[in-house]
Amino acid sequence: MQDSSGAHTVARIGSFLRRIAGMPDYEAYLEHLRSSHPEKPLPTRREYYAEYLSSRYGDGPTRCC
């Protein structure tokens, strides 16, 4: 069983790798909302990813051809 610092390190590495790959980081977003915008409701994971995809790709095609 990992100690809390080991688990924290693994979580940070996972977050870093997701950012490199261009994937959204739900946990980091929740942390940001809690600290910077406590009045806003927290989205579910599904709502968060739907908003991410919509903001990234919009409603149109994702490629030119």
Side-chain angles (χ1 to χ4, degrees), residues 5-20:
S5 65
H8 181 70
T9 300
V10 169
R12 288 186 56 131
I13 290 170
S15 176
F16 176 73
L17 292 174
R18 280 189 294 277
R19 280 185 269 150
I20 288 175

Side-chain angles (χ1 to χ4, degrees), residues 3-56:
D3 62 14
S4 63
S5 65
H8 181 70
T9 300
V10 169
R12 288 186 56 131
I13 290 170
S15 176
F16 176 73
L17 292 174
R18 280 189 294 277
R19 280 185 269 150
I20 288 175
M23 295 172 57
D25 189 343
Y26 178 69
E27 298 302 326
Y29 182 69
L30 291 183
E31 186 176 316
H32 166 75
L33 282 181
R34 287 182 185 120
S35 64
S36 301
H37 309 283
E39 73 284 355
K40 290 189 176 183
L42 299 176
T44 64
R45 189 175 294 270
R46 182 176 288 234
E47 292 168 336
Y48 171 72
Y49 283 109
E51 177 64 30
Y52 167 78
L53 290 174
S54 176
S55 68
R56 178 154 184 179

